[in-house]
Structure formats: structure tokens, C-alpha cells
Amino acid sequence: MLVDGQVDRPAMLRPGFQSRKRMFTVLFNYRGSLAVDILPQDTTMTATYYVQDVLSQVKSAINDQRSKVSTSKTVFLHDNAGPHKARATTQSLRELGIQVLPHPAYSPDWAPWDF
């Protein structure tokens, strides 16, 4: 079958592509990205890694921007992933003075992609 006058797409883009997947964590505010973290290959995101590596980058970025911004309040919106809800994460965010907005509950009645 031709798609837009071109030959069929291959079943797999590149052999071995699945084994090279990496997880990127990008945190941003209205001014742009605050922190970009690349999880080391063959590791899992844990609360310890999130607090020590990701939130430490966010803390330094916020401190750098704090003098340029007229507010001292920082608010996070996380999803309900395990490392985001862990006790170590919530305690660290509390110590940094960062308020976490509650993630809205999922409801199929509220799903905007149904419209």
C-alpha cells in the first residue's frame, strides 16, 4: 500500500532502537526550561534519584531566577507517579518552600479529547 505516493513504512524503524530508550525529565516555568535531566541507561526513576538529582537542579535554577522574578512563591504540578508522591519528595519540596498542586482526578467525563 502507498501512503501519500510513498512506499510502505517499515515495521521497525531501526533494529535495536528499543534498547536505547532514555528517559528525559524536563521541568519548566513561564520563562523556559528550569532543568533537563537524562536518566542513566538501564536505571529506574526513584524518589531518591528524583530528589538528589532532579530537584537539586530545580532548586539552583529557582534560586538563580528568584532575583529576576517579582514573586517568591513556587508552585509545582506533578502527575501521580510514584517518585512524585513519595515521602522523600514531598518532604524535600516542603523544605524548599515549593507548593504542589494536587493532580486532578481522572474522569472519562472530563476527558477533553472526546469532543
Short mmCIF file of all heavy atoms in Angstrom, two decimals, residues 8-77:
data_model
loop_
_atom_site.label_atom_id
_atom_site.label_comp_id
_atom_site.label_asym_id
_atom_site.label_seq_id
_atom_site.Cartn_x
_atom_site.Cartn_y
_atom_site.Cartn_z
N ASP A 8 5.44 1.70 1.54
CA ASP A 8 5.05 1.38 2.93
C ASP A 8 6.18 1.67 3.90
O ASP A 8 7.36 1.55 3.58
CB ASP A 8 4.71 -0.11 3.05
CG ASP A 8 3.37 -0.43 2.44
OD1 ASP A 8 2.55 0.48 2.28
OD2 ASP A 8 3.16 -1.62 2.14
N ARG A 9 5.80 2.02 5.10
CA ARG A 9 6.78 2.24 6.16
C ARG A 9 7.26 0.88 6.67
O ARG A 9 6.49 -0.07 6.74
CB ARG A 9 6.15 3.01 7.30
CG ARG A 9 5.79 4.41 6.91
CD ARG A 9 5.22 5.13 8.09
NE ARG A 9 4.77 6.46 7.65
CZ ARG A 9 3.84 7.15 8.26
NH1 ARG A 9 3.25 6.67 9.32
NH2 ARG A 9 3.49 8.33 7.81
N PRO A 10 8.51 0.79 7.08
CA PRO A 10 8.98 -0.49 7.62
C PRO A 10 8.33 -0.79 8.97
O PRO A 10 7.89 0.12 9.68
CB PRO A 10 10.49 -0.28 7.78
CG PRO A 10 10.67 1.19 7.84
CD PRO A 10 9.55 1.79 7.03
N ALA A 11 8.26 -2.06 9.31
CA ALA A 11 7.65 -2.47 10.57
C ALA A 11 8.44 -1.93 11.77
O ALA A 11 7.88 -1.55 12.77
CB ALA A 11 7.55 -3.98 10.65
N MET A 12 9.77 -1.89 11.65
CA MET A 12 10.61 -1.37 12.72
C MET A 12 11.54 -0.32 12.13
O MET A 12 12.14 -0.54 11.08
CB MET A 12 11.41 -2.49 13.37
CG MET A 12 12.28 -2.01 14.51
SD MET A 12 13.12 -3.36 15.31
CE MET A 12 12.23 -3.40 16.83
N LEU A 13 11.62 0.82 12.79
CA LEU A 13 12.43 1.91 12.26
C LEU A 13 13.90 1.52 12.17
O LEU A 13 14.51 1.60 11.12
CB LEU A 13 12.27 3.14 13.14
CG LEU A 13 12.94 4.40 12.67
CD1 LEU A 13 12.40 4.82 11.32
CD2 LEU A 13 12.73 5.51 13.67
N ARG A 14 14.49 1.12 13.27
CA ARG A 14 15.89 0.70 13.32
C ARG A 14 16.01 -0.49 14.25
O ARG A 14 15.49 -0.45 15.35
CB ARG A 14 16.78 1.82 13.85
CG ARG A 14 17.04 2.91 12.83
CD ARG A 14 17.87 3.98 13.46
NE ARG A 14 16.92 4.97 13.95
CZ ARG A 14 17.17 5.87 14.87
NH1 ARG A 14 18.32 5.91 15.45
NH2 ARG A 14 16.26 6.73 15.25
N PRO A 15 16.71 -1.52 13.86
CA PRO A 15 16.91 -2.65 14.78
C PRO A 15 17.66 -2.20 16.02
O PRO A 15 18.61 -1.43 15.95
CB PRO A 15 17.75 -3.64 13.97
CG PRO A 15 17.60 -3.23 12.55
CD PRO A 15 17.31 -1.76 12.55
N GLY A 16 17.21 -2.65 17.18
CA GLY A 16 17.88 -2.31 18.43
C GLY A 16 17.48 -0.96 19.00
O GLY A 16 18.00 -0.54 20.01
N PHE A 17 16.55 -0.27 18.37
CA PHE A 17 16.16 1.06 18.83
C PHE A 17 15.54 1.00 20.22
O PHE A 17 15.75 1.86 21.04
CB PHE A 17 15.18 1.69 17.84
CG PHE A 17 14.73 3.07 18.23
CD1 PHE A 17 15.60 4.14 18.16
CD2 PHE A 17 13.43 3.31 18.67
CE1 PHE A 17 15.20 5.41 18.51
CE2 PHE A 17 13.03 4.56 19.03
CZ PHE A 17 13.90 5.61 18.94
N GLN A 18 14.76 -0.05 20.50
CA GLN A 18 14.10 -0.18 21.79
C GLN A 18 15.09 -0.21 22.94
O GLN A 18 14.82 0.29 24.01
CB GLN A 18 13.24 -1.45 21.81
CG GLN A 18 12.15 -1.47 20.76
CD GLN A 18 11.05 -0.47 21.04
OE1 GLN A 18 10.82 -0.11 22.18
NE2 GLN A 18 10.40 0.00 20.00
N SER A 19 16.23 -0.81 22.75
CA SER A 19 17.20 -0.95 23.84
C SER A 19 17.91 0.36 24.16
O SER A 19 18.58 0.45 25.18
CB SER A 19 18.22 -2.02 23.49
OG SER A 19 18.97 -1.62 22.36
N ARG A 20 17.78 1.35 23.31
CA ARG A 20 18.48 2.62 23.54
C ARG A 20 17.56 3.71 24.07
O ARG A 20 17.91 4.88 24.04
CB ARG A 20 19.13 3.08 22.24
CG ARG A 20 20.22 2.15 21.79
CD ARG A 20 20.98 2.73 20.65
NE ARG A 20 20.11 3.37 19.67
CZ ARG A 20 20.22 3.25 18.38
NH1 ARG A 20 21.16 2.52 17.87
NH2 ARG A 20 19.40 3.87 17.57
N LYS A 21 16.38 3.36 24.53
CA LYS A 21 15.47 4.37 25.04
C LYS A 21 16.05 5.04 26.28
O LYS A 21 16.72 4.41 27.08
CB LYS A 21 14.12 3.75 25.40
CG LYS A 21 13.29 3.39 24.21
CD LYS A 21 11.94 2.90 24.67
CE LYS A 21 11.06 2.59 23.50
NZ LYS A 21 9.75 2.10 23.94
N ARG A 22 15.79 6.33 26.42
CA ARG A 22 16.26 7.09 27.58
C ARG A 22 15.09 7.92 28.09
O ARG A 22 14.24 8.35 27.33
CB ARG A 22 17.39 8.04 27.20
CG ARG A 22 18.61 7.37 26.63
CD ARG A 22 19.31 6.42 27.58
NE ARG A 22 20.00 7.05 28.66
CZ ARG A 22 21.24 7.46 28.60
NH1 ARG A 22 21.94 7.33 27.50
NH2 ARG A 22 21.80 8.02 29.64
N MET A 23 15.08 8.17 29.38
CA MET A 23 14.04 9.00 29.98
C MET A 23 14.59 10.40 30.23
O MET A 23 15.63 10.56 30.87
CB MET A 23 13.57 8.40 31.30
CG MET A 23 12.50 9.21 31.96
SD MET A 23 11.97 8.42 33.47
CE MET A 23 10.65 9.49 33.93
N PHE A 24 13.90 11.38 29.70
CA PHE A 24 14.26 12.78 29.91
C PHE A 24 13.24 13.39 30.87
O PHE A 24 12.04 13.19 30.70
CB PHE A 24 14.20 13.57 28.59
CG PHE A 24 15.33 13.29 27.67
CD1 PHE A 24 15.42 12.10 26.98
CD2 PHE A 24 16.32 14.23 27.48
CE1 PHE A 24 16.47 11.84 26.12
CE2 PHE A 24 17.38 13.99 26.63
CZ PHE A 24 17.44 12.79 25.95
N THR A 25 13.72 14.13 31.84
CA THR A 25 12.86 14.89 32.72
C THR A 25 13.10 16.35 32.43
O THR A 25 14.23 16.83 32.54
CB THR A 25 13.19 14.59 34.20
OG1 THR A 25 13.08 13.18 34.43
CG2 THR A 25 12.24 15.32 35.12
N VAL A 26 12.05 17.04 32.01
CA VAL A 26 12.17 18.46 31.68
C VAL A 26 11.20 19.22 32.58
O VAL A 26 10.00 18.96 32.56
CB VAL A 26 11.83 18.72 30.19
CG1 VAL A 26 11.97 20.19 29.87
CG2 VAL A 26 12.71 17.87 29.29
N LEU A 27 11.73 20.14 33.35
CA LEU A 27 10.92 20.99 34.21
C LEU A 27 11.05 22.42 33.70
O LEU A 27 12.16 22.88 33.41
CB LEU A 27 11.38 20.87 35.66
CG LEU A 27 11.19 19.47 36.22
CD1 LEU A 27 12.24 19.16 37.24
CD2 LEU A 27 9.82 19.34 36.80
N PHE A 28 9.94 23.11 33.60
CA PHE A 28 9.98 24.45 33.04
C PHE A 28 8.98 25.36 33.73
O PHE A 28 8.09 24.91 34.43
CB PHE A 28 9.69 24.41 31.53
CG PHE A 28 8.40 23.75 31.17
CD1 PHE A 28 7.24 24.49 31.03
CD2 PHE A 28 8.34 22.39 30.96
CE1 PHE A 28 6.05 23.89 30.70
CE2 PHE A 28 7.16 21.77 30.62
CZ PHE A 28 6.00 22.53 30.50
N ASN A 29 9.19 26.64 33.54
CA ASN A 29 8.26 27.65 34.00
C ASN A 29 7.92 28.56 32.83
O ASN A 29 8.25 28.25 31.69
CB ASN A 29 8.83 28.43 35.20
CG ASN A 29 10.07 29.22 34.85
OD1 ASN A 29 10.49 29.30 33.70
ND2 ASN A 29 10.68 29.82 35.86
N TYR A 30 7.29 29.68 33.09
CA TYR A 30 6.87 30.56 32.01
C TYR A 30 8.04 31.20 31.27
O TYR A 30 7.88 31.69 30.16
CB TYR A 30 5.91 31.63 32.54
CG TYR A 30 6.59 32.68 33.40
CD1 TYR A 30 7.01 33.88 32.85
CD2 TYR A 30 6.82 32.47 34.75
CE1 TYR A 30 7.63 34.84 33.62
CE2 TYR A 30 7.43 33.41 35.54
CZ TYR A 30 7.83 34.59 34.96
OH TYR A 30 8.45 35.54 35.73
N ARG A 31 9.22 31.16 31.85
CA ARG A 31 10.39 31.76 31.20
C ARG A 31 11.18 30.76 30.37
O ARG A 31 12.09 31.13 29.66
CB ARG A 31 11.31 32.36 32.26
CG ARG A 31 10.60 33.42 33.09
CD ARG A 31 11.54 34.02 34.03
NE ARG A 31 12.37 34.95 33.26
CZ ARG A 31 13.16 35.84 33.77
NH1 ARG A 31 13.28 35.92 35.05
NH2 ARG A 31 13.86 36.64 33.00
N GLY A 32 10.86 29.48 30.48
CA GLY A 32 11.58 28.45 29.74
C GLY A 32 11.93 27.28 30.63
O GLY A 32 11.37 27.10 31.70
N SER A 33 12.88 26.49 30.20
CA SER A 33 13.21 25.29 30.96
C SER A 33 14.04 25.64 32.19
O SER A 33 14.92 26.49 32.16
CB SER A 33 13.96 24.29 30.09
OG SER A 33 15.23 24.78 29.76
N LEU A 34 13.72 24.95 33.29
CA LEU A 34 14.48 25.11 34.53
C LEU A 34 15.57 24.06 34.64
O LEU A 34 16.68 24.34 35.05
CB LEU A 34 13.56 24.97 35.75
CG LEU A 34 12.64 26.11 36.07
CD1 LEU A 34 11.71 25.74 37.20
CD2 LEU A 34 13.45 27.34 36.45
N ALA A 35 15.20 22.83 34.29
CA ALA A 35 16.14 21.74 34.42
C ALA A 35 15.81 20.66 33.40
O ALA A 35 14.65 20.41 33.10
CB ALA A 35 16.07 21.14 35.82
N VAL A 36 16.85 20.06 32.87
CA VAL A 36 16.72 18.92 31.98
C VAL A 36 17.62 17.83 32.53
O VAL A 36 18.81 18.06 32.74
CB VAL A 36 17.13 19.26 30.53
CG1 VAL A 36 17.04 18.03 29.65
CG2 VAL A 36 16.26 20.38 29.99
N ASP A 37 17.04 16.69 32.81
CA ASP A 37 17.80 15.58 33.36
C ASP A 37 17.61 14.36 32.47
O ASP A 37 16.50 14.08 32.03
CB ASP A 37 17.34 15.26 34.78
CG ASP A 37 18.18 14.18 35.42
OD1 ASP A 37 19.32 14.50 35.81
OD2 ASP A 37 17.71 13.04 35.49
N ILE A 38 18.69 13.65 32.21
CA ILE A 38 18.63 12.42 31.43
C ILE A 38 18.95 11.27 32.37
O ILE A 38 20.04 11.20 32.95
CB ILE A 38 19.63 12.44 30.26
CG1 ILE A 38 19.38 13.65 29.39
CG2 ILE A 38 19.53 11.15 29.46
CD1 ILE A 38 20.46 13.91 28.37
N LEU A 39 17.98 10.39 32.55
CA LEU A 39 18.16 9.24 33.44
C LEU A 39 19.20 8.31 32.85
O LEU A 39 19.17 8.00 31.66
CB LEU A 39 16.82 8.51 33.59
CG LEU A 39 16.74 7.42 34.64
CD1 LEU A 39 16.86 8.03 36.04
CD2 LEU A 39 15.44 6.67 34.51
N PRO A 40 20.17 7.89 33.66
CA PRO A 40 21.19 6.96 33.14
C PRO A 40 20.55 5.69 32.58
O PRO A 40 19.52 5.23 33.07
CB PRO A 40 22.04 6.64 34.37
CG PRO A 40 21.82 7.78 35.29
CD PRO A 40 20.43 8.24 35.04
N GLN A 41 21.16 5.17 31.54
CA GLN A 41 20.61 4.00 30.87
C GLN A 41 20.56 2.81 31.83
O GLN A 41 21.41 2.64 32.69
CB GLN A 41 21.46 3.65 29.66
CG GLN A 41 20.79 2.69 28.73
CD GLN A 41 21.39 2.74 27.34
OE1 GLN A 41 22.27 3.55 27.08
NE2 GLN A 41 20.91 1.90 26.47
N ASP A 42 19.51 2.01 31.67
CA ASP A 42 19.29 0.80 32.47
C ASP A 42 19.07 1.10 33.95
O ASP A 42 19.41 0.30 34.82
CB ASP A 42 20.43 -0.21 32.31
CG ASP A 42 20.58 -0.67 30.87
OD1 ASP A 42 19.56 -0.77 30.17
OD2 ASP A 42 21.72 -0.91 30.44
N THR A 43 18.54 2.27 34.27
CA THR A 43 18.17 2.59 35.65
C THR A 43 16.70 2.99 35.67
O THR A 43 16.10 3.26 34.64
CB THR A 43 19.01 3.73 36.24
OG1 THR A 43 18.85 4.89 35.42
CG2 THR A 43 20.47 3.36 36.33
N THR A 44 16.15 3.06 36.86
CA THR A 44 14.75 3.40 37.06
C THR A 44 14.66 4.68 37.86
O THR A 44 15.45 4.89 38.78
CB THR A 44 14.03 2.26 37.81
OG1 THR A 44 14.22 1.05 37.08
CG2 THR A 44 12.56 2.53 37.95
N MET A 45 13.68 5.48 37.55
CA MET A 45 13.45 6.71 38.31
C MET A 45 12.91 6.34 39.69
O MET A 45 11.89 5.67 39.80
CB MET A 45 12.45 7.61 37.59
CG MET A 45 12.11 8.89 38.33
SD MET A 45 13.48 10.04 38.48
CE MET A 45 13.51 10.74 36.86
N THR A 46 13.62 6.75 40.71
CA THR A 46 13.19 6.52 42.09
C THR A 46 13.06 7.86 42.79
O THR A 46 13.53 8.89 42.28
CB THR A 46 14.20 5.64 42.85
OG1 THR A 46 15.45 6.35 42.90
CG2 THR A 46 14.38 4.28 42.19
N ALA A 47 12.44 7.84 43.95
CA ALA A 47 12.31 9.08 44.71
C ALA A 47 13.66 9.63 45.11
O ALA A 47 13.89 10.84 45.08
CB ALA A 47 11.44 8.83 45.94
N THR A 48 14.58 8.76 45.46
CA THR A 48 15.93 9.21 45.85
C THR A 48 16.62 9.90 44.70
O THR A 48 17.20 10.98 44.87
CB THR A 48 16.77 8.00 46.32
OG1 THR A 48 16.08 7.34 47.37
CG2 THR A 48 18.14 8.45 46.80
N TYR A 49 16.58 9.30 43.52
CA TYR A 49 17.19 9.92 42.34
C TYR A 49 16.50 11.24 42.04
O TYR A 49 17.15 12.25 41.75
CB TYR A 49 17.09 8.99 41.13
CG TYR A 49 17.69 9.59 39.88
CD1 TYR A 49 19.05 9.47 39.62
CD2 TYR A 49 16.91 10.30 38.97
CE1 TYR A 49 19.61 10.04 38.49
CE2 TYR A 49 17.47 10.88 37.84
CZ TYR A 49 18.81 10.74 37.61
OH TYR A 49 19.37 11.31 36.50
N TYR A 50 15.18 11.26 42.11
CA TYR A 50 14.41 12.47 41.80
C TYR A 50 14.78 13.62 42.73
O TYR A 50 15.00 14.74 42.29
CB TYR A 50 12.92 12.16 41.87
CG TYR A 50 12.03 13.27 41.38
CD1 TYR A 50 11.96 13.57 40.03
CD2 TYR A 50 11.28 14.02 42.25
CE1 TYR A 50 11.15 14.59 39.57
CE2 TYR A 50 10.46 15.03 41.80
CZ TYR A 50 10.39 15.31 40.46
OH TYR A 50 9.60 16.32 40.00
N VAL A 51 14.89 13.32 44.02
CA VAL A 51 15.21 14.36 45.00
C VAL A 51 16.66 14.83 44.84
O VAL A 51 16.94 16.02 44.80
CB VAL A 51 14.95 13.85 46.44
CG1 VAL A 51 15.54 14.80 47.47
CG2 VAL A 51 13.46 13.68 46.66
N GLN A 52 17.59 13.88 44.74
CA GLN A 52 19.01 14.24 44.73
C GLN A 52 19.47 14.85 43.42
O GLN A 52 20.30 15.77 43.42
CB GLN A 52 19.86 13.01 45.04
CG GLN A 52 19.71 12.54 46.46
CD GLN A 52 20.50 11.27 46.73
OE1 GLN A 52 21.04 10.66 45.82
NE2 GLN A 52 20.53 10.85 47.97
N ASP A 53 18.97 14.37 42.30
CA ASP A 53 19.48 14.83 41.01
C ASP A 53 18.57 15.86 40.34
O ASP A 53 19.05 16.90 39.89
CB ASP A 53 19.71 13.65 40.06
CG ASP A 53 20.83 12.76 40.56
OD1 ASP A 53 22.00 13.12 40.35
OD2 ASP A 53 20.52 11.74 41.17
N VAL A 54 17.28 15.57 40.29
CA VAL A 54 16.38 16.46 39.55
C VAL A 54 16.03 17.70 40.38
O VAL A 54 16.18 18.83 39.91
CB VAL A 54 15.11 15.71 39.11
CG1 VAL A 54 14.15 16.64 38.39
CG2 VAL A 54 15.48 14.52 38.23
N LEU A 55 15.56 17.48 41.61
CA LEU A 55 15.14 18.63 42.42
C LEU A 55 16.31 19.53 42.82
O LEU A 55 16.13 20.72 43.02
CB LEU A 55 14.38 18.17 43.67
CG LEU A 55 12.99 17.61 43.40
CD1 LEU A 55 12.31 17.25 44.72
CD2 LEU A 55 12.13 18.58 42.61
N SER A 56 17.51 18.97 42.91
CA SER A 56 18.67 19.82 43.21
C SER A 56 18.93 20.79 42.05
O SER A 56 19.29 21.95 42.28
CB SER A 56 19.89 18.99 43.51
OG SER A 56 20.27 18.24 42.38
N GLN A 57 18.74 20.33 40.81
CA GLN A 57 18.87 21.22 39.65
C GLN A 57 17.79 22.29 39.67
O GLN A 57 18.05 23.46 39.36
CB GLN A 57 18.76 20.43 38.36
CG GLN A 57 19.89 19.49 38.07
CD GLN A 57 19.66 18.77 36.75
OE1 GLN A 57 19.25 19.38 35.77
NE2 GLN A 57 19.91 17.47 36.74
N VAL A 58 16.58 21.89 40.02
CA VAL A 58 15.46 22.84 40.07
C VAL A 58 15.71 23.89 41.14
O VAL A 58 15.48 25.08 40.93
CB VAL A 58 14.13 22.09 40.32
CG1 VAL A 58 13.00 23.07 40.57
CG2 VAL A 58 13.82 21.19 39.16
N LYS A 59 16.20 23.46 42.29
CA LYS A 59 16.47 24.40 43.39
C LYS A 59 17.47 25.46 42.97
O LYS A 59 17.26 26.65 43.20
CB LYS A 59 16.98 23.64 44.61
CG LYS A 59 17.31 24.54 45.77
CD LYS A 59 17.89 23.76 46.92
CE LYS A 59 18.32 24.72 48.02
NZ LYS A 59 19.00 24.04 49.10
N SER A 60 18.57 25.04 42.34
CA SER A 60 19.57 26.03 41.93
C SER A 60 19.03 26.94 40.82
O SER A 60 19.32 28.14 40.81
CB SER A 60 20.86 25.34 41.49
OG SER A 60 20.63 24.52 40.37
N ALA A 61 18.23 26.39 39.91
CA ALA A 61 17.65 27.23 38.84
C ALA A 61 16.66 28.23 39.41
O ALA A 61 16.63 29.40 38.99
CB ALA A 61 16.97 26.35 37.80
N ILE A 62 15.87 27.82 40.38
CA ILE A 62 14.92 28.73 41.01
C ILE A 62 15.65 29.82 41.75
O ILE A 62 15.29 31.00 41.68
CB ILE A 62 13.96 27.96 41.93
CG1 ILE A 62 12.98 27.13 41.09
CG2 ILE A 62 13.19 28.90 42.85
CD1 ILE A 62 12.12 26.19 41.91
N ASN A 63 16.70 29.47 42.48
CA ASN A 63 17.48 30.47 43.21
C ASN A 63 18.13 31.48 42.26
O ASN A 63 18.22 32.66 42.57
CB ASN A 63 18.53 29.80 44.08
CG ASN A 63 17.93 29.09 45.27
OD1 ASN A 63 16.81 29.40 45.69
ND2 ASN A 63 18.64 28.12 45.80
N ASP A 64 18.58 31.01 41.10
CA ASP A 64 19.17 31.91 40.11
C ASP A 64 18.13 32.89 39.55
O ASP A 64 18.42 34.05 39.31
CB ASP A 64 19.78 31.13 38.95
CG ASP A 64 21.03 30.37 39.36
OD1 ASP A 64 21.59 30.67 40.43
OD2 ASP A 64 21.43 29.46 38.61
N GLN A 65 16.91 32.40 39.33
CA GLN A 65 15.87 33.24 38.74
C GLN A 65 15.11 34.07 39.77
O GLN A 65 14.41 35.01 39.41
CB GLN A 65 14.87 32.38 37.97
CG GLN A 65 15.44 31.80 36.70
CD GLN A 65 14.38 31.07 35.90
OE1 GLN A 65 13.21 31.05 36.25
NE2 GLN A 65 14.80 30.49 34.80
N ARG A 66 15.24 33.72 41.04
CA ARG A 66 14.45 34.38 42.09
C ARG A 66 14.68 35.88 42.12
O ARG A 66 13.77 36.66 42.32
CB ARG A 66 14.80 33.75 43.43
CG ARG A 66 14.04 34.19 44.59
CD ARG A 66 12.72 33.58 44.95
NE ARG A 66 12.28 32.34 44.45
CZ ARG A 66 11.94 31.30 45.19
NH1 ARG A 66 12.08 31.34 46.48
NH2 ARG A 66 11.44 30.23 44.65
N SER A 67 15.89 36.32 41.86
CA SER A 67 16.18 37.76 41.90
C SER A 67 15.57 38.49 40.71
O SER A 67 15.30 39.68 40.78
CB SER A 67 17.69 37.99 41.93
OG SER A 67 18.28 37.47 40.75
N LYS A 68 15.32 37.78 39.61
CA LYS A 68 14.77 38.42 38.41
C LYS A 68 13.24 38.41 38.38
O LYS A 68 12.64 39.07 37.55
CB LYS A 68 15.28 37.69 37.17
CG LYS A 68 16.78 37.66 37.05
CD LYS A 68 17.21 36.78 35.93
CE LYS A 68 18.72 36.56 35.98
NZ LYS A 68 19.16 35.52 35.07
N VAL A 69 12.62 37.64 39.27
CA VAL A 69 11.17 37.49 39.27
C VAL A 69 10.62 38.22 40.49
O VAL A 69 11.22 38.22 41.55
CB VAL A 69 10.79 35.99 39.32
CG1 VAL A 69 9.30 35.80 39.31
CG2 VAL A 69 11.43 35.25 38.16
N SER A 70 9.46 38.80 40.34
CA SER A 70 8.90 39.62 41.42
C SER A 70 8.19 38.80 42.50
O SER A 70 7.71 39.36 43.46
CB SER A 70 7.92 40.64 40.84
OG SER A 70 6.86 39.96 40.19
N THR A 71 8.09 37.50 42.35
CA THR A 71 7.41 36.69 43.35
C THR A 71 8.37 35.68 43.97
O THR A 71 9.35 35.29 43.36
CB THR A 71 6.21 35.94 42.72
OG1 THR A 71 5.55 35.22 43.76
CG2 THR A 71 6.66 34.97 41.64
N SER A 72 8.07 35.30 45.19
CA SER A 72 8.91 34.31 45.86
C SER A 72 8.20 32.97 45.97
O SER A 72 8.72 32.04 46.55
CB SER A 72 9.28 34.81 47.26
OG SER A 72 8.11 34.97 48.03
N LYS A 73 7.00 32.88 45.41
CA LYS A 73 6.21 31.66 45.51
C LYS A 73 6.50 30.74 44.34
O LYS A 73 6.54 31.17 43.19
CB LYS A 73 4.72 32.01 45.53
CG LYS A 73 3.82 30.86 45.78
CD LYS A 73 2.38 31.33 45.89
CE LYS A 73 1.47 30.19 46.23
NZ LYS A 73 0.09 30.64 46.36
N THR A 74 6.71 29.46 44.62
CA THR A 74 6.94 28.45 43.59
C THR A 74 5.89 27.37 43.73
O THR A 74 5.66 26.87 44.83
CB THR A 74 8.34 27.83 43.74
OG1 THR A 74 9.31 28.88 43.70
CG2 THR A 74 8.61 26.86 42.62
N VAL A 75 5.26 27.02 42.61
CA VAL A 75 4.20 26.02 42.61
C VAL A 75 4.55 24.96 41.58
O VAL A 75 4.92 25.29 40.45
CB VAL A 75 2.83 26.66 42.28
CG1 VAL A 75 1.74 25.62 42.29
CG2 VAL A 75 2.51 27.77 43.25
N PHE A 76 4.44 23.69 41.96
CA PHE A 76 4.70 22.56 41.07
C PHE A 76 3.39 21.89 40.70
O PHE A 76 2.49 21.78 41.53
CB PHE A 76 5.55 21.52 41.80
CG PHE A 76 7.00 21.56 41.45
CD1 PHE A 76 7.68 22.73 41.30
CD2 PHE A 76 7.71 20.38 41.31
CE1 PHE A 76 9.01 22.75 41.00
CE2 PHE A 76 9.05 20.38 41.02
CZ PHE A 76 9.70 21.57 40.86
N LEU A 77 3.34 21.37 39.50
CA LEU A 77 2.25 20.49 39.09
C LEU A 77 2.88 19.20 38.62
O LEU A 77 3.55 19.17 37.60
CB LEU A 77 1.40 21.11 37.97
CG LEU A 77 0.29 20.20 37.43
CD1 LEU A 77 -0.71 19.88 38.53
CD2 LEU A 77 -0.40 20.85 36.26
#
